[in-house]
């Protein structure tokens, strides 16, 4: 029987459509989900689709058959959420293995029943992203917090994937990737599982982009994502979910152009409408898919949310005539990434790595880390990026620090600073635990600094293998069992040996190997040291000629330790050294990016004496340089300072400055700017509602336009919080005479949803308006909301949600509140919520007022009317009239986006 590889080479393959949409059509009850067996499980099982593999296998089988009948070549197992992280919501972790085995068996049997020699059918094990993210903090107040670690993700994925493999899947589809670190954990687990089960299957990866700027939810560009997963042996990459096919096209084209794999796409049936439903028709979607096929962008096409077997059937005639996409070759260059890609190419030939975040290389950084002043420590990283560092080196190796812990903590903080996180990270440590801890925090493609043959080949190979699997490039120091290679012959001997081992035994991509032939101090007064610089330069030339693909780097500041205290001479030495080493092929260096002394500007005498030292041109070179250095002392400028220069925006007037700080998420000047603003405004609250809210609104617009991405938005939210904290005491004192609070507001992101930025902003705004906030956090079950609302006698309930399933959950909460006999007004907010949905689906379930709130700035105004006994009746009457009207005009007609043609026809009909 043909393999997936054989089939994909021959023709474009059809993947099935959504599972969730199909299941919804069966209108299953809580009882259906539970079956007899899980009658007594606590909580709600409705929506636990994967459980149906056990309780309603007939339905899952039926769905598989529908897709196979429609013509799908590949069907996906019903196991999207079947790992213990997501299943913890249903308290069904003990069923992970059983569900995945059943999911694989059901799909296997269905596929085998349809397979023929002409049309083989394949089963892809569906592996979803989990409901948690490894790269972001779910808590705005604590950016270093993670609700899921890499190791936890790996072990959860392993449990799932092993069962899928044992159940007989032909491939694994790691899908709806929104955080590359989760995906890397899934890939890692898949490799382990395949090894354990003894069967290798193709690995498919499918990403979801979350804004029109084409970034993942965790902020990476597609190129950065690709660089981060290219270490893995992937079969295909592609896009799913996100938006409809049309909006996906530019991103799909980008993948097809850059990714050396087969390309897959399975979009949603358009964008969800205001009721959270997808209403593109099969024909409409087929037209978009045809465009992808005509342009030879794809190898695998299918459907995501909102699609059914009717969609899949429409693809069959299309793929018959289509030519499959031919994957591009693997890039012949070093590729690194943070949130953005850094590719070494003609334009960027030389990569400078900022050295200042090093506890052993900067007294200031060490002090800040010891004092746990992370904010200022981060500003050192930011300054280096501003100064042009393309990568930043981070080193926490110091006796009294818990280095793995400090490394992870600092990296987590960096991840919430998009201006820093955009660049790749170099993990600098001589301790393997620190390197490993660091790699498990980073979603991008990083550099490990460093490994060497110091402790023998076995450990070297072991570490190199792990680095490769964790997806990083590596600096290899010219050390071996005999020690540090100081002279030319030893440098090239050690590097050549390491290269051989890495490329032949470990199969490391040569572009991911960066040799560091040791930059050692010169002009120390010891004759043995005189040739150190020139030997490094000669070794560089040899490596670049003889070890194809490999790069050369080094710690430049080491060179000049003999001249500590004389920064001018130090910088001048570095400039001269780099000038010569780069010409011979050094293409990366760890250095101080703020250094300002340039080779071209050096006075002739200085240049000559330094060149004598670097190139080892005369025996008294060191002596003569020391003499010159003494003479020049006093003329030195302190180029090593890290104080940020005054930026242009600081000259603007205060409102502008506040807005700028908010939009950029810069907290450094809030205290002084707010102090100035307080003098201008009558009340501190006015500052929040004026310039700060203006800033937040701009952020909202930029985000909506895809011009900002999530981590940036989170940062602005944090800055807003900080500003509010500064103003809080003033707000308290404005509320003269201890006037009582306006009311008590309960806020919650509903069950199934983890998004809380909007909710947190509402909390801030409401608190500023003198409401007492009870924030229940994210993923809050209806029962908890009911119970706490009763217990605390709250005056208002705010429900928040970002994703479409939250719409249904909100309706459920409203129904539960009704059952509990409550009539506390509810405010509904979040990205997918709408006035129409609120009117049609939530308000009718509840006796109290249910108000759709468009954005956070509206909450206070609405709350005030709801809680004022004079205003409330009027407000509610108006609201109900508006909702009734919306229901009248929308109830019958399903909301559907019609094509232009249809719309025209309709219009004509009307005129008849
Ligand atoms: N190769 C590789 N990695 C490395 C080095 C290398 N990592 C560490 C180091 N060497 C490169 N980083 C530095 C950082 C700072 C300094 C030197 C090298 C330095 N610091 C000032 C000093 O010691 O005089 C301190 C200044 C201060 O306290 O602010 O010079 O070779 N792969």
């Amino acid at each position: 029987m043909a393999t997936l590889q054989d089939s994909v080479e021959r023709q474009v393959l059809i993947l099935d459509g959504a599972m969730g949409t199909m299941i919804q059509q069966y209108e299953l009850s809580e009882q259906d989900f539970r079956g007899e067996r899980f009658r007594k499980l606590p909580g709600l099982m409705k929506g636990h689709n994967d459980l149906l593999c056990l309780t309603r296998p007939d339905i899952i089988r039926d769905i598989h058959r529908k897709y196979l009948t429609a013509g799908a070549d590949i069907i996906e197992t019903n196991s999207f959420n079947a790992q213990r992280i997501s299943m913890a919501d249903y308290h069904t972790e003990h069923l992970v293995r059983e569900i995945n085995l059943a999911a694989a068996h059901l799909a296997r049997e269905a596929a085998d029943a349809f397979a023929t020699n002409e049309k083989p059918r394949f089963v892809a094990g569906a592996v979803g992203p989990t409901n948690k993210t490894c790269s972001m903090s779910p808590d705005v107040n604590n950016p270093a917090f993670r609700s899921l670690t890499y190791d936890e993700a790996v072990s959860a994925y392993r449990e799932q994937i092993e069962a899928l493999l044992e159940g007989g899947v032909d491939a694994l589809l790691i899908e709806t990737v929104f955080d590359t670190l989760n995906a890397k954990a899934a890939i890692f687990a898949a490799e382990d599982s395949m090894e354990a089960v003894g069967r290798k299957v193709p690995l498919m990866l499918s990403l979801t982009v979350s804004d029109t700027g084409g970034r993942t939810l965790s902020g990476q560009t597609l190129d950065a994502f690709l660089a981060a997963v290219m270490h893995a042996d992937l079969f295909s990459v592609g896009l799913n979910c996100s938006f409809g096919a049309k909006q996906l096209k530019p991103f799909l084209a980008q993948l097809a152009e850059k990714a050396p794999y087969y390309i897959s796409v399975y979009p949603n049936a358009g964008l969800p409408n205001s009721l959270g439903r997808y209403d593109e028709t099969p024909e409409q979607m087929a037209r978009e898919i045809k465009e992808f096929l005509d342009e030879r962008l794809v190898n695998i096409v299918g459907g995501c949310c909102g699609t059914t077997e009717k969609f899949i059937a429409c693809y069959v005639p299309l793929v018959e005539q289509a030519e499959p996409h031919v994957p591009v070759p693997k890039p012949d260059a070093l590729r690194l990434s943070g949130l953005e890609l850094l590719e070494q190419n003609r334009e960027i030939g030389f990569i400078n790595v900022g050295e200042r975040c090093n506890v052993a290389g900067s007294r200031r950084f060490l002090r800040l880390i010891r004092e746990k002043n992370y904010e200022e420590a981060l500003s050192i990283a930011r300054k280096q990026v501003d100064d042009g560092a393309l990568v930043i080196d981070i080193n926490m190796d110091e006796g009294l620090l818990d280095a793995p812990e400090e490394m992870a903590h600092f990296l987590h903080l960096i991840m919430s600073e998009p201006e820093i996180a955009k660049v790749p990270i170099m993990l600098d440590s001589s301790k393997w635990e620190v390197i490993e801890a660091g790699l498990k925090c980073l979603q991008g493609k990083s550099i490990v600094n460093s490994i060497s043959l110091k402790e023998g080949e076995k450990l070297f190979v072991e570490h190199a293998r792990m680095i490769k699997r964790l997806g990083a490039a590596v600096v290899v120091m010219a050390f071996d069992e005999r020690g540090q290679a100081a002279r030319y012959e030893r440098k090239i001997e050690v590097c050549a040996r390491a290269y051989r081992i890495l490329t032949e035994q470990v199969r490391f991509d040569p572009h991911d190997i960066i040799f560091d032939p040791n930059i050692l101090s010169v002009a120390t007064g010891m004759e043995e040291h005189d040739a150190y610089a020139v030997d490094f330069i000669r070794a560089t030339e040899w490596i670049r000629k003889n070890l194809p693909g490999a790069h050369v780097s080094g710690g430049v500041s080491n060179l000049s330790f003999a001249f500590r205290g004389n920064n001018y001479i130090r910088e001048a030495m570095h400039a001269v050294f780099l000038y010569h080493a780069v010409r011979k092929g050094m293409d990366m260096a760890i250095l101080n990016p703020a250094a300002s002394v340039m080779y071209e500007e050096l006075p002739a005498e200085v240049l000559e004496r330094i060149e004598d030292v670097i190139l080892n041109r005369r025996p008294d070179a060191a002596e003569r340089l020391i003499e010159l250095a003494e003479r020049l002392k006093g003329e030195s400028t302190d180029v090593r300072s890290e104080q940020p220069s005054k930026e242009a925006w600081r000259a603007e007037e205060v409102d502008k400055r506040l807005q700028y700080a908010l939009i950029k998420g810069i907290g450094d000047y809030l205290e002084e700017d707010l102090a100035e603003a307080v003098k201008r405004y009558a009340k501190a609250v006015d500052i929040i509602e004026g310039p700060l809210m203006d800033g937040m609104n701009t952020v909202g617009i930029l985000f909506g336009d895809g011009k900002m991405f999530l981590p940036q938005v989170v940062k602005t939210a944090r800055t807003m919080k900080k500003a509010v904290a500064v103003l809080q005491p003033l707000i308290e004192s404005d509320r003269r005479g201890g006037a009582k609070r306006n009311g008590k507001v309960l806020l919650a992101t509903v069950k199934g949803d983890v998004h809380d930025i909007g909710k947190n902003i509402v909390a801030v705004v409401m608190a500023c308006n003198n409401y007492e906030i009870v924030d229940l956090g994210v993923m809050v079950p209806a029962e908890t909301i009911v119970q706490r609302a009763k217990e605390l006698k709250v005056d208002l309930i705010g429900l928040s949600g970002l994703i479409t399933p939250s719409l249904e959950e909100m309706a459920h909460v409203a129904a539960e509140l009704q059952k509990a006999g409550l009539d506390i007004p509810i405010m509904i907010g979040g990205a997918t919520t709408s006035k129409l949905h609120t009117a049609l689906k939530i308000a009718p379930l509840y006796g109290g007022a249910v108000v759709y709130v468009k954005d956070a700035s509206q909450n206070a105004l609405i709350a005030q009317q709801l809680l004022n006994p004079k205003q409330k009746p009027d407000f509610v009457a108006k609201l109900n009239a508006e909702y009734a009207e919306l229901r009248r005009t929308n109830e019958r007609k399903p909301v559907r986006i019609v094509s232009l043609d249809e719309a025209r026809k309709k219009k004509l009909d009307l005129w008849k």
Side-chain angles (χ1 to χ4, degrees), residues 355-356 358 361-363 428 449 475 477 516 555 557-558 561 564 570 590 640:
E355 68 174 21
R356 308 306 301 163
N358 182 341
S362 160
R363 280 170 296 246
D428 189 346
N449 179 16
V475 173
M477 298 294 299
D516 184 333
S557 300
N558 309 345
F561 279 144
R564 276 196 165 130
R570 288 192 72 175
I590 307 170
R640 302 186 79 91

Side-chain angles (χ1 to χ4, degrees), residues 436-463:
E436 208 172 347
L439 284 177
K440 289 175 177 177
C441 299
L442 294 169
Q443 63 172 331
K445 161 108 175 261
S446 315
I447 307 173
V448 167
N449 179 16
S450 57
I451 59 170
S452 78
L453 285 159
K454 188 158 44 182
E455 289 154 292
E457 249 177 69
K458 190 166 164 286
L459 205 59
F460 179 72
V461 167
E462 198 179 292
H463 290 166

Side-chain angles (χ1 to χ4, degrees), residues 762-808:
V762 170
V764 171
V765 175
M766 297 289 284
C768 296
N769 281 281
N770 208 12
Y771 290 90
E772 185 182 341
I773 304 299
V774 182
D775 188 343
L776 300 186
V778 299
M779 295 282 288
V780 188
E783 308 88 82
T784 313
I785 296 174
V786 172
Q787 184 205 339
R788 304 281 289 173
K790 269 178 147 171
E791 207 174 277
L792 300 168
K793 299 197 173 54
V794 301
D795 301 298
L796 282 170
I797 296 172
L799 300 180
S800 172
L802 181 104
I803 54 177
T804 30
S806 299
L807 293 176
E808 206 173 317

Side-chain angles (χ1 to χ4, degrees), residues 117-132:
N117 275 335
E118 295 72 54
K119 194 169 168 75
R121 312 288 185 127
F122 303 98
V123 174
V127 178
T130 84
N131 57 358
K132 289 186 177 163

Side-chain angles (χ1 to χ4, degrees), residues 492-557:
I492 66 171
E493 173 204 324
V494 175
C495 292
R497 177 175 164 220
Y499 184 84
R500 230 178 19 252
I501 296 170
L502 288 175
T503 53
E504 289 168 16
Q505 230 170 297
V506 187
R507 307 233 148 258
F508 223 89
D509 180 344
H511 278 297
D512 285 343
I513 305 171
I514 301 153
F515 284 111
D516 184 333
N518 303 321
I519 298 181
L520 305 169
S521 301
V522 290
T524 58
M526 308 220 351
E527 211 186 302
E528 309 90 279
H529 300 171
D530 286 350
Y532 278 171
V534 75
D535 277 2
F536 179 95
I537 295 169
R538 286 175 61 211
T540 299
E541 186 173 16
W542 187 89
I543 290 167
R544 299 286 293 176
K545 277 212 180 96
N546 294 285
L547 307 178
H551 307 273
V552 174
S553 175
V556 177
S557 300

